[in-house]
Amino acid sequence: MRLVSRLRSILRLRSIQGRYTTAATALLLVVLVVVGVSCDLVIRYRIEDDVFKSAERVASQWSAAARTGGMPEMIPASGGVDLVQLVDAQGAVVRASRRARGRAPLSAIRPPSNDRFQRLHDNGLLLMAIRVSPAPEAPVIYAGSAEPRLLGRHYLELFLAVAALVLLGLAGWLTWWVVGRTLRPVAAIRARMAEITGSDVSLRVPVPAGEDEFALLARTANQSLERLQEVVEQQRQFASTTSHELRTPIAGLRMQLEEALLYPDEVDAVDSIRGALSATGRLEAIVNDLLLLARLRVAEPAARELIDLGKLVTEEAMQVSQSAGVAVYVHAASGVWVSGSQIRLIRVVGNLLSNARRHAAASVEVSVEAIDGRAVLAVVDDGAGVAPADRERVFERFTRLADGRRRDAGGSGLGLAISRDIAEAHRGSLRIEDSPRGARFVLRLPLLHVQGGVEGSASTDHYGPT
């Protein structure tokens, strides 16, 4: 059974190992056929040529003797040429060597007078036929020997065929073994990948030694698995945090509705509805922010627009300042052009301004300028600021510091996380940097150099109470 299974695996041409072995064997077969035929022709020609040269030398010797009348009764063999006959014009054997005596003429072919020397391959004999003279009745000397057994019985072809088959089988087995050994890491990687499930992505594929393509493939697969594990862990943490954040407003909404049903005479219906609407509003804000985060992570990039960042910030600051209750000072340089989604950048600017307004004591300063090939937007408030240990944590989802919860209990804790995702989607960054007072949020985006744009001019505007 194991042998049958092995043969079936060899014959499976769908596998790389089977295809490579078949291709290499077929190519080697063509090469061996060409080489074998060439060797057979060369060896056969060389052997026959040696025999013909020896026979020509003997036949020339006795042809000269026949012309002078010095032919002995028994022609002696010479140099392996043991068949020698002198045959007259009527086909009668006049003189012969010991092995050719008593035999019929070695060949019935007589060289013509204009071609006295001929090589003959006749009846298994290799002969040199020489017409003694151009005369019509001139006799013919035949000299030669039997065809060597190596040629006559096709031993040469048999030997070459056997050698070719042995080489072909050895090469096929060697190719199968080498390709199988080469692909062994792929089988190990495939087996390990089959063990990885969506609930457990902690496994890693084995990395073979060396720096070949399979080692690079294994390292790339492990890097992809690490990124996948990070994403899965983030999704799990996100799901846990989201469920916790949603549970609070849902529980409050349920409690208010249950109180209104259980104690209709003691609970003010208007207050219950107002509280339910407040909880519903917070739920709606959280869900909308979650949907936006999901779109930012998986959706196609938004269409790019040419945006004057200074103008956009000025317009957004004007709208925010109308309900801010704090003074907003804008120093925006004109001609600071960026490329991106205007709607999403408005969301970032609005989040930063709302966050600064919420934490400011009296004023918010906003600046837009071009620095070192980057468009830089800075939003600075004069509030308590953010501790260095919390400057990265505030960009995590649902993270709300104590001061933020005290100032705005209905926030979702997703605004800064969304803003950073939008900034990174625009190949920029959003960070909190050092400031003498309050918090300083800095957005950096790639700067575009627009031909004909205005550079160097700036305007300072003040909105809100003085």
Side-chain angles (χ1 to χ4, degrees), residues 200-219:
D200 182 14
V201 291
S202 61
L203 296 177
R204 297 294 181 266
V205 300
V207 180
E211 297 294 333
D212 58 8
E213 287 79 358
F214 295 126
L216 295 177
L217 172 64
R219 293 190 184 97

Side-chain angles (χ1 to χ4, degrees), residues 384-394 401 432 434 438-439:
V386 180
D390 296 327
R391 288 183 179 179
E392 281 299 316
R393 196 165 67 89
V394 296
L401 302 181
I432 300 178
D434 294 334

Side-chain angles (χ1 to χ4, degrees), residues 418-446:
I418 291 173
S419 298
R420 173 167 277 188
D421 282 352
I422 293 175
E424 292 176 349
H426 286 72
R427 294 173 296 155
S429 63
L430 177 61
R431 299 173 54 196
I432 300 178
E433 298 184 355
D434 294 334
S435 176
R437 184 182 178 187
R440 174 184 172 87
F441 286 80
V442 180
L443 170 68
R444 287 182 169 85
L445 297 173

Side-chain angles (χ1 to χ4, degrees), residues 249-322:
I250 290 176
L253 177 63
R254 182 183 182 88
M255 182 183 66
Q256 293 175 0
L257 294 176
E258 286 179 348
E259 286 182 351
L261 288 175
L262 293 175
Y263 310 104
D265 297 332
E266 301 178 7
V267 177
D268 188 352
V270 175
D271 290 341
S272 297
I273 294 174
R274 189 177 290 115
L277 286 176
S278 176
T280 303
R282 186 182 177 193
L283 283 173
E284 183 180 9
I286 293 176
V287 171
N288 289 336
D289 287 343
L290 290 175
L291 291 175
L292 179 58
L293 277 174
R295 287 196 296 269
L296 289 174
R297 291 299 177 92
V298 302
E300 292 294 327
R304 295 278 173 171
E305 306 172 60
L306 190 61
I307 303 169
D308 186 340
L309 186 61
K311 180 180 178 181
L312 183 146
V313 170
T314 301
E315 294 175 352
E316 189 64 20
M318 183 184 301
Q319 295 180 8
V320 172
S321 64
Q322 293 175 356

